Amino acid sequence: MDARPVLGGHLEVRDEGATLRVVLGGAIDLAVRERDAPALWDALDAPAVRGVDVDASDVTFLDSTGLSVLVRLARDAAERGLPLRLAAVSPRVADLLEQTGVGDWMAALTDSLTDAR
């Protein structure tokens, strides 16, 4: 078995009871989406999950496919009635969310869930 670390970025899913913690780091791109995101989509359907926290504080690069992971996560969480919180973001992620308007869109999804309760 090859024990070398995976180069590039990563997406980790951590089950913290009622909260699903998603940790992103490094370069979030197509490779990360294809390799790591399927575990995230499966984890969203766990019956115990009541919310999602995202830690993107260690992201150094985020391209359009990486951004699509956040967009799908926000959409899928909202469809399941799960609040999503951006617990921490790197300056790169914050800039991209602001420039694209995705940050405001994500906030509006979360607000709509809060208003519905």
Side-chain angles (χ1 to χ4, degrees):
M1 178 167 167
D2 191 350
R4 290 179 295 168
V6 175
L7 298 178
H10 65 274
L11 181 157
E12 298 172 24
V13 180
R14 299 178 185 165
D15 178 359
E16 296 182 354
T19 302
L20 188 66
R21 186 165 181 79
V22 179
V23 180
L24 302 156
I28 307 303
D29 55 14
L30 179 62
V32 171
R33 185 178 76 181
E34 290 182 348
R35 182 188 66 230
D36 299 341
L40 173 57
W41 314 140
D42 292 339
L44 280 173
D45 288 326
V49 174
R50 298 287 179 252
V52 180
D53 280 357
V54 177
D55 178 349
S57 59
D58 291 330
V59 172
T60 57
F61 174 81
L62 186 71
D63 69 3
S64 61
T65 55
L67 185 61
S68 75
V69 171
L70 291 177
V71 167
R72 179 172 172 189
L73 174 57
R75 186 197 67 217
D76 288 1
E79 287 175 356
R80 290 164 174 78
L82 302 173
L84 181 132
R85 183 175 72 101
L86 293 176
V89 296
S90 69
R92 174 69 182 127
V93 173
D95 288 346
L96 192 57
L97 291 175
E98 182 180 337
Q99 291 171 2
T100 60
V102 170
D104 291 339
W105 174 78
M106 290 173 77
L109 277 178
T110 299
D111 290 346
S112 70
L113 286 174
T114 303
D115 293 343
R117 290 182 178 178

